[in-house]
């Protein structure tokens, strides 16, 4: 300070400077000094006058502002200040870098973003709530899509009205790009690149909203591969994946441009068809897709025969919501499968009530199994020549506590479809073995017990072990148990070879095998010869007609003759009249079963019937 003042009158007539000064109580003060040399008329210095001003506060403000503008200049966020007429006043470096626009250019050319959108949308929002945020995309000079996040605020003037706007912008392109990659991965199946379930559900939602139900319609095709599980189980997932890829290529190749194909899970596909002119379009597409999958798929040196079952549901006809649409297409698909695969099925309301009933029944079966409600009844099997009871067929009975007796024809198919048949069948087999053992222990000669076995039961890994275990546990003569398998199952079974092997193992255990409902399937003689079968049970629909219908009589005669050539025993099912009995005897049928001899009875009643000597009116003749 001295130094500055010393200049007064020598180097300068007037000095002005700022002096930082530490006050006695330790406060940093900034003092502004102003001094002037006074001279008399001769020019001789007579005095110095001046003033000192405490500018500590003002200096602090200026310093902060300097720092602040540095912050604004160096921040990564772009900033632009405009007045209420949208005239750009200031931009920072980041702004120019992000948008590629400098202040001069902005003033000269204006900014696309503002002129239109700003006045129409943003400004009104700003005046209402004082803030606007949003994303805008634009193409950069390199043609790449850039994503900018905007944050616009209002600066109020002294009167409290919007005076200026501050536009802040950040470049979120990199973030968005990695996000959209993640998004893509989350919405697409990594194997086929097709939209996954979540994405398909979203598309469906969008369409359902977009469609005016009075005018437009859409269809959902739900497609499930028929024999895919075999591929995966026998060759492993690697080949399973290759096959799925081949399938998705086939399907893709047969889609109209407006259809969207997706893969909701493993071996299931969905096709969304919008702007449908008529339901027939969807049916035609389903047919085309089934047709496309008909020729075997070649993957390297393997050939795969993969069929599919397709269910179709329509919006708005069948469903008001996406969930319902998917559910109903699914129901229809299951129906197509149940009807024998490789076909399409359009949903109907009736199916949906059937499904509800079925699910209820399924739950009841489960509960009945847990409570041990099932029983076995025994229907006598009679040697026709002698009238002697040679055994019995075990038939499951369900005396339902509140609904009365429920017929096996109703609950067995439901148990089969739901997989509960495995548990039910296991119980039947165990109970039959236990009953055979009890009779044996009581010294009763009741002959064999034939047990009906369903397909899914045979395919289970523990089927043979279970039977073997029972034989051992009860020390049971294996010939006291027989197994009945329906002809349809044996002939339509996709995993034929495996089934045949299991049945052979069954025969090797000493159990005899009978083909049930014979005549309703399509057995060929050559195939029958290869199966380890001992008995053919002639279906009751033919037996019924032997005395009145020449056709039926011819069929039964042919079956008996064929069985004889193959060395198989014959059992006529559903024998109800003396007339039928004598016809069958005359034709050389070995055994019979039917109401004429007796209905299925509880074990004790069955024993009483057998002990009475003859059954029904069919005593031994001659
Ligand atoms: P199925 O094995 O062909 O059994 C013969 C069916 O014909 C039985 O019906 C029997 O009661 C009935 N029947 C016997 N004689 C006559 C007759 O003279 N006239 C008429 N009209 N019917 C007669 P049910 O007990 O209702 O069983 C129906 C089907 O349910 C069985 O046909 C069998 O396929 C299945 N089933 C029954 N029990 C079991 C079981 O424990 N396991 C499995 N998997 N299926 C079973
Ligand atoms: Mg049977
Ligand atoms: Mg039968």
């Amino acid at each position: 300070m001295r130094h500055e003042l010393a200049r007064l009158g020598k180097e300068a007539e007037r000095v002005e400077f700022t002096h930082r000064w530490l006050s006695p109580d330790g406060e940093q003060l900034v003092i502004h000094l102003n001094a002037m040399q006074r001279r008399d008329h001769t020019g001789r210095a007579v005095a110095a006058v001046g003033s000192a001003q405490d500018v500590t506060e003002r200096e602090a403000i200026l310093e902060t502002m300097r720092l602040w503008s540095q912050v604004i200049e160096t921040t990564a966020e772009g900033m632009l200040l405009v007045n209420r007429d949208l005239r750009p006043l200031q931009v920072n470096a980041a702004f120019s870098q992000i948008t590629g626009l400098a202040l001069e250019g902005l003033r000269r050319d204006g900014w696309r973003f503002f002129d239109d959108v700003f006045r129409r949308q943003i400004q009104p929002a700003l005046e209402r709530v004082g803030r606007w945020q949003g994303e805008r995309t634009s193409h950069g000079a390199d043609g790449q899509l850039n994503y900018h996040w905007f944050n616009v605020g209002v600066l109020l003037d002294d009167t409290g009205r919007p005076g200026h706007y501050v536009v802040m912008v950040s470049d979120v392109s990199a973030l968005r790009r990695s996000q959209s990659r993640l998004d893509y991965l989350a919405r697409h199946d990594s194997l086929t690149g097709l939209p996954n379930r979540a994405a398909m559900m979203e598309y469906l939602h969008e369409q359902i909203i977009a469609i005016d139900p009075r005018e437009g319609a859409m269809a959902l095709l739900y497609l499930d591969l028929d024999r895919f599980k075999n591929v995966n189980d026998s060759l492993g997932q690697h080949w399973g994946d290759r096959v799925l890829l081949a399938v998705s290529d086939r399907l893709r190749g047969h889609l109209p441009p407006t259809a969207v194909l997706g893969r909701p899970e493993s071996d299931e596909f969905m096709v969304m068809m919008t702007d449908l002119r008529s339901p027939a379009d969807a049916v035609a597409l389903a047919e085309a897709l089934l047709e496309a999958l008909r020729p075997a798929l070649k993957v390297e040196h393997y050939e795969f025969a993969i069929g599919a079952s397709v269910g179709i549901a329509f919006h708005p006809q069948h469903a008001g919501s996406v969930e319902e649409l998917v559910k109903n297409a699914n129901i229809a698909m299951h129906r197509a499968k149940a009807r024998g695969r490789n076909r399409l099925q359009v949903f109907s309301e009736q199916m949906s009530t059937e499904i509800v009933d079925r699910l209820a029944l399924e739950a009841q079966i489960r509960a009945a199994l847990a409570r041990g409600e099932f029983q076995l009844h025994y229907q006598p099997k009679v040697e026709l020549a002698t009238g002697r009871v040679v055994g019995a067929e075990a038939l499951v009975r369900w005396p339902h506590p509140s609904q009365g007796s429920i017929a096996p024809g109703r609950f067995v198919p439901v148990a089969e479809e739901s997989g509960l048949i495995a548990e039910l069948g296991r119980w039947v087999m165990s109970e039959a073995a236990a009953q055979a053992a009890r009779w044996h222990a009581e010294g009763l000669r009741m002959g064999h017990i034939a047990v009906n076995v369903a397909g899914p039961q045979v395919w289970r890994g523990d089927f043979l072990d279970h039977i073997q275990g029972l034989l051992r546990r009860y020390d049971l003569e294996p010939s006291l148990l027989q197994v009945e398998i329906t002809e349809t199952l044996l002939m339509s079974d996709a995993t034929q070879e495996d089934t045949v092997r299991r049945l052979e193992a069954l025969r090797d255990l000493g159990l005899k095998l009978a083909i049930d409902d014979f005549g309703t399937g399509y057995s060929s003689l050559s195939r029958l010869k290869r199966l380890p079968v001992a008995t053919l049970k002639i279906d009751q629909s033919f037996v019924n007609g032997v005395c009145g219908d020449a056709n039926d009589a011819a069929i039964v005669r042919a079956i008996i003759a064929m069985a004889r050539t193959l060395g198989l025993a014959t059992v006529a099912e559903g024998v109800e009249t003396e007339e039928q009995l004598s016809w069958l005897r005359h034709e050389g049928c070995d055994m019979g079963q039917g109401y004429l001899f007796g209905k299925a009875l509880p074990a004790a009643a069955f024993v009483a019937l057998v002990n009475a000597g003859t059954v029904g009116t069919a005593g031994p003749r001659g």
Side-chain angles (χ1 to χ4, degrees):
M1 178 159 83
R2 290 227 165 81
H3 173 74
E4 289 288 343
L5 281 178
R7 291 172 55 226
L8 196 61
K10 299 185 186 100
E11 293 162 34
E13 288 303 284
R14 186 190 176 108
V15 292
E16 194 175 339
F17 62 92
T18 306
H19 180 68
R20 281 166 208 282
W21 184 57
L22 203 60
S23 78
D25 50 4
E27 212 184 327
Q28 171 98 55
L29 294 177
V30 185
I31 310 292
H32 190 82
L33 277 140
N34 200 333
M36 203 168 88
Q37 188 69 58
R38 275 267 167 87
R39 295 182 187 276
D40 62 15
H41 64 282
T42 64
R44 193 171 52 95
V46 290
V49 292
S51 65
Q53 199 183 352
D54 181 354
V55 294
T56 313
E57 209 167 312
R58 200 187 73 196
E59 271 302 298
I61 290 172
L62 281 175
E63 177 63 9
T64 309
M65 280 174 71
R66 262 192 304 277
L67 283 173
W68 196 234
S69 65
Q70 243 176 40
V71 168
I72 289 175
E73 263 321 288
T74 53
T75 181
E77 191 156 22
M79 293 184 193
L80 161 69
L81 180 67
V82 294
N83 68 13
R84 204 166 181 276
D85 305 322
L86 306 188
R87 181 176 160 71
L89 302 180
Q90 196 57 261
V91 297
N92 69 351
F95 183 91
S96 300
Q97 206 215 325
I98 291 171
T99 63
L101 295 165
L103 187 60
E104 307 80 63
L106 213 52
R107 284 195 173 146
R108 192 177 56 238
D109 307 331
W111 191 17
R112 271 178 294 118
F113 172 69
F114 277 154
D115 302 335
D116 179 17
V117 184
F118 202 97
R119 279 193 207 284
R120 263 193 302 112
Q121 295 177 5
I122 302 175
Q123 211 164 13
L126 286 171
E127 314 227 326
R128 253 182 296 116
V129 293
R131 176 164 285 284
W132 180 88
Q133 287 186 321
E135 194 169 287
R136 285 277 179 280
T137 51
S138 64
H139 284 280
D142 52 0
Q144 219 182 19
L145 196 59
N146 291 319
Y147 298 80
H148 294 152
W149 178 255
F150 289 95
N151 209 324
V152 186
V154 183
L155 302 180
L156 301 179
D157 63 16
D158 294 344
T159 64
R161 277 194 298 260
H164 295 84
Y165 301 113
V166 186
V167 178
M168 280 173 281
V169 54
S170 41
D171 189 352
V172 291
S173 302
L175 183 72
R176 284 285 173 274
R177 268 176 223 126
S178 62
Q179 223 171 34
S180 66
R181 175 82 196 134
L182 275 180
D183 210 44
Y184 179 88
L185 291 176
R187 295 161 48 80
H188 288 80
D189 157 38
S190 57
L191 178 66
T192 60
L194 292 172
N196 62 13
R197 178 182 296 276
M200 286 304 283
M201 294 303 274
E202 222 176 272
Y203 294 155
L204 288 167
H205 271 291
E206 283 165 11
Q207 285 304 322
I208 265 192
I209 291 167
I211 284 178
D212 177 349
R214 282 161 310 183
E215 290 172 8
M218 87 169 148
L220 180 67
L221 279 60
Y222 209 104
L223 193 146
D224 186 286
L225 301 184
D226 284 336
R227 278 174 292 271
F228 179 73
K229 212 174 142 356
N230 292 351
V231 177
N232 242 8
D233 289 353
S234 54
L235 293 174
Q237 199 184 340
H238 167 74
W239 287 100
D241 283 357
R242 310 265 320 248
V243 168
L244 282 174
L245 259 179
V247 168
S248 74
D249 284 345
R250 279 266 171 94
L251 296 177
R252 257 193 265 242
H254 289 79
L255 284 184
T258 53
V260 180
L261 175 69
R263 180 179 169 226
E265 62 190 84
S266 59
D267 63 341
E268 295 176 7
F269 293 85
M270 271 181 179
V271 182
M272 174 176 90
M273 271 185 99
T274 50
D275 62 25
L276 213 58
R277 280 168 305 150
S278 93
D281 287 354
V283 172
L285 176 60
E287 271 166 0
L289 295 180
L290 286 176
E291 197 53 46
L293 290 179
R294 218 173 288 276
L297 296 161
K298 286 198 188 68
V299 180
E300 285 185 19
H301 50 283
Y302 285 111
E303 281 204 1
F304 298 94
I306 300 275
S309 303
V310 187
I312 307 175
F314 296 102
H315 164 81
Q317 190 191 340
H318 297 140
S321 74
V322 172
E323 289 69 24
E324 218 178 332
L325 186 66
V326 174
K327 189 186 81 192
N328 291 345
N330 223 304
I331 288 174
M333 180 273 285
H334 280 292
R335 178 56 60 92
K337 254 198 200 318
R339 280 179 51 223
R341 291 153 202 271
N342 225 326
R343 61 183 68 227
L344 67 90
Q345 175 73 53
V346 176
F347 174 79
S348 77
E349 292 303 336
Q350 192 200 340
M351 272 178 214
S352 137
T353 44
E354 279 170 18
I355 290 274
V356 172
D357 290 351
R358 222 205 62 167
L359 287 177
L361 191 57
E362 206 180 297
Q364 287 182 324
I365 296 173
R366 199 168 275 128
L369 277 168
R371 287 198 294 258
E373 267 171 33
F374 291 104
Q375 298 176 355
L376 278 192
H377 281 192
Y378 300 88
Q379 185 177 34
K381 219 192 243 185
V382 172
E383 191 175 53
L384 295 187
T386 60
R388 206 164 51 92
V389 174
V390 289
E393 176 174 7
L395 292 162
V396 68
R397 292 292 176 259
W398 185 6
H400 191 279
S402 62
Q403 294 176 21
S405 172
I406 301 181
R410 236 190 100 203
F411 68 83
V412 167
V414 173
E416 284 192 26
E417 275 174 55
S418 61
L420 285 168
I421 194 68
E423 200 183 327
L424 178 62
R426 223 178 137 88
W427 177 81
V428 170
M429 186 62 82
S430 308
E431 177 56 25
Q435 187 57 67
R438 280 195 290 268
W439 282 335
H440 183 76
E442 290 163 21
L444 297 170
R445 301 261 165 277
M446 295 293 120
H448 68 260
I449 299 178
V451 177
N452 292 285
V453 165
Q457 226 178 316
V458 184
W459 302 324
R460 268 177 64 115
D462 58 358
F463 175 64
L464 289 163
D465 288 348
H466 179 231
I467 292 176
Q468 207 167 10
L470 289 171
L471 294 178
R472 223 179 292 128
R473 176 162 153 210
Y474 295 115
D475 192 18
L476 206 63
E477 171 62 39
S479 65
L480 286 182
L481 283 184
Q482 280 194 10
V483 164
E484 291 188 11
I485 257 181
T486 64
E487 184 189 19
T488 325
L489 178 131
L490 215 49
M491 295 304 145
S492 70
D493 180 4
T495 55
Q496 271 266 2
E497 283 309 308
D498 184 45
T499 307
V500 172
R501 247 179 283 120
R502 280 160 188 254
L503 297 180
E504 280 167 355
L506 200 64
R507 177 199 52 199
D508 296 344
L509 281 180
L511 270 74
K512 288 207 167 112
L513 182 71
I515 301 189
D516 210 347
D517 303 344
F518 193 82
T520 56
Y522 298 93
S523 310
S524 65
L525 205 74
S526 62
R527 200 175 265 181
L528 266 183
K529 252 166 56 184
R530 282 191 283 117
L531 292 169
V533 175
T535 310
L536 299 185
K537 296 190 77 178
I538 307 167
D539 192 67
Q540 51 179 288
S541 59
F542 306 111
V543 174
N544 222 336
V546 286
C547 295
D549 186 317
N551 220 2
D552 285 350
I555 290 170
V556 174
R557 214 174 268 130
I559 294 176
I560 294 171
M562 183 178 77
R564 195 168 295 137
T565 356
L566 292 172
L568 306 176
T570 42
V571 180
E573 291 190 90
V575 184
E576 292 181 353
T577 65
E578 288 285 352
E579 227 185 333
Q580 290 164 352
L581 172 62
S582 43
W583 189 93
L584 289 161
R585 248 191 206 139
H586 180 258
E587 292 299 326
C589 182
D590 300 314
M591 286 164 274
Q593 203 183 318
Y595 294 166
L596 180 66
F597 312 115
K599 292 193 171 184
L601 297 166
F606 174 77
V607 172
L609 180 90
V610 174
N611 285 343
T614 54
V615 279
T617 56
R621 304 276 157 114

